[in-house]
Amino acid sequence: MPIIDLRSDTVTQPTEEMREAMARAEVGDDVYGEDPTVNALEELAAQKVGKERALFVPSGTMGNLVAVLTHTQRGDEVLLEAESHIYYYEVGGLSAVAGTIPRLIQGDHGWISPEQLEAHIRPRDLHFPPPRLLCLENTHNRAGGRAFTPEQITRTCAVARRYGLKIHLDGARIFNASVALGVDARALTRDVDSVMFCLSKGLSAPVGSILAGEREFIERARKARKMLGGGMRQAGVLAACGIIALETMIPRLAEDHRRARMLATGLARIPGLSVDVEGVQTNIVLVEIEGPDGDAREVVQRLRSFGILVNAVGKRTIRLVTHRHITDEDVEKTLEAFSAATKSL
Ligand code: TLP
């Protein structure tokens, strides 16, 4: 049975062009700064998000952790959205490794307004941990891929600046936001000190993420990456794919967004399911199982028997993520399978 894998855009396979580039890549020892392909990727990546320098890291999780480690000291307070990936899915690294204390802000569909931020910043006081860093997320994973505009970002960041906070952006899917909003990624990163984005999600590179920021920040981040064991050697074989990802794979994200909308529209028509269709702005769809016995895990299991892979992200919530391997026909088949799987609920 053919499998339709909507669990994540992380499942994308490298393209043929990437595989060829891997074979050809000129490499060196990147811990000595001598891998020309890594250096080329870092230069291109920094330019794409309008920062002085960039650092190639093995994963988004490590990129975010390196950022927290570099911006903070032990005992500092990090303000972040209650459903943010850094808090929810990164094994508590900001506390366990960086020794910081998270202060959660329940945002509006993943976004922290200037007023909310201001209400959560406590005055300097002997008793309080010093507030040091604000983390934002765009697009916001658990909010269903919501994309936040340059204006929203500028307003919230202005409050952070007023209180002397550093700002890190978890932009794992920043190019999805850029394509969906029709703005250059630089407009989404100009107000932040550092940004992490992933090459290995919708952009189809097999491995790797980027952390970008000012020169001095990236120099210190390089040391933090080394401490975490993320100093890689002939990483140019991976960086070669990252270059192709950034040069060729961004515009096609619009197709993933169109298919996510198709999915959302179709799912919303199925009795027993509810979807905020207008809220589907990028490549993530959240669908709620209604009814007293609605159980997302049960539906996930039933869908699996039709060859459809999706994730439960809440008791009643299923997440579907579109990507390069999902076709219009796959969307149709997925809708049919959902109809069948939810009939007897
Ligand atoms: N997200 C993964 C899972 O961890 C949930 C996914 O399938 O969506 N920030 C954001 C906003 C992310 O969505 C992810 C990955 C990361 C960071 C971490 O990236 P990796 O997986 O490279 O460590």
Side-chain angles (χ1 to χ4, degrees):
M1 180 171 44
I3 299 291
I4 300 173
D5 193 345
L6 292 152
R7 288 173 302 172
S8 184
D9 45 9
T10 57
V11 304
T12 44
Q13 300 272 322
T15 63
E16 274 312 306
E17 195 187 350
M18 287 177 184
R19 288 182 185 275
E20 282 161 25
M22 289 177 93
R24 278 197 320 269
E26 226 186 291
V27 296
D29 190 330
D30 182 50
V31 172
Y32 293 104
E34 291 173 2
D35 189 304
T37 311
V38 171
N39 293 341
L41 169 65
E42 290 180 344
E43 202 171 304
L44 173 65
Q47 181 232 321
K48 283 274 180 199
V49 289
K51 299 294 176 201
E52 277 178 11
R53 291 278 194 279
L55 184 69
F56 185 43
V57 288
S59 69
T61 301
M62 189 186 285
N64 283 333
L65 180 55
V66 164
V68 173
L69 272 168
T70 309
H71 283 303
T72 64
Q73 295 185 336
R74 296 184 72 75
D76 283 349
E77 184 176 73
V78 178
L79 293 105
L80 65 181
E81 208 277 324
E83 299 282 319
S84 62
H85 195 279
I86 294 178
Y87 179 73
Y88 207 99
Y89 288 121
E90 298 184 13
V91 209
L94 82 167
S95 295
V97 181
T100 63
I101 176 163
R103 182 153 168 88
L104 299 183
I105 305 175
Q106 185 68 58
D108 176 14
H109 294 96
W111 188 247
I112 301 171
S113 70
E115 297 75 23
Q116 283 171 322
L117 177 60
E118 188 145 27
H120 284 81
I121 301 175
R122 294 183 286 177
R124 303 273 159 173
D125 181 293
L126 173 67
H127 302 82
F128 303 152
R132 189 77 61 200
L133 177 66
L134 168 69
C135 295
L136 300 171
E137 187 173 319
N138 197 11
T139 66
H140 195 293
N141 184 335
R142 287 189 58 82
R146 291 284 180 128
F148 308 110
T149 64
E151 295 69 35
Q152 285 175 291
I153 298 164
T154 297
R155 289 183 57 233
T156 294
C157 289
V159 174
R161 292 283 176 227
R162 201 163 352 114
Y163 288 90
L165 300 180
K166 294 285 181 194
I167 307 164
H168 171 66
L169 173 64
D170 176 349
R173 298 185 179 83
I174 194 68
F175 295 106
N176 292 86
S178 154
V179 165
L181 297 167
V183 299
D184 192 292
R186 283 170 281 221
L188 304 172
T189 57
R190 65 185 173 209
D191 295 305
V192 304
D193 297 293
S194 59
V195 52
M196 184 285 291
F197 65 85
C198 296
L199 301 162
S200 63
K201 297 197 161 63
L203 302 183
S204 295
V207 177
S209 294
I210 294 289
L211 178 64
E214 297 311 296
R215 187 175 53 78
E216 185 268 342
F217 171 84
I218 291 298
E219 273 168 19
R220 288 187 294 122
R222 192 175 292 278
K223 221 167 154 66
R225 180 189 70 172
K226 187 78 183 106
M227 185 174 71
L228 296 177
M232 297 181 284
R233 301 296 177 174
Q234 285 73 36
V237 287
L238 297 174
C241 300
I243 291 172
I244 293 169
L246 287 178
E247 283 180 342
T248 69
M249 303 300 282
I250 295 171
R252 67 151 306 287
L253 295 173
E255 277 181 51
D256 300 341
H257 301 172
R258 179 178 65 75
R259 293 194 177 100
R261 265 297 170 109
M262 273 173 73
L263 267 174
T265 310
L267 289 167
R269 292 198 187 111
I270 298 174
L273 298 182
S274 92
V275 186
D276 174 7
V277 179
E278 288 309 308
V280 177
Q281 299 171 343
T282 59
N283 67 332
I284 301 180
V285 181
L286 296 180
V287 48
E288 297 285 322
I289 316 294
E290 295 174 332
D293 302 323
D295 178 0
R297 281 170 197 273
E298 168 67 21
V299 176
V300 169
Q301 281 314 317
R302 292 188 195 178
L303 288 167
R304 189 172 272 270
S305 67
F306 293 97
I308 311 287
L309 305 186
V310 295
N311 276 330
V313 294
K315 193 187 163 327
R316 292 169 171 279
T317 314
I318 289 175
R319 183 185 83 156
L320 302 89
V321 186
T322 53
H323 51 76
R324 201 179 104 244
H325 306 312
I326 300 298
T327 63
D328 288 352
E329 200 191 335
D330 293 336
V331 170
E332 295 303 333
K333 284 189 187 148
T334 302
L335 293 174
E336 282 162 27
F338 260 92
S339 287
T342 55
K343 207 158 257 164
S344 56
L345 284 180

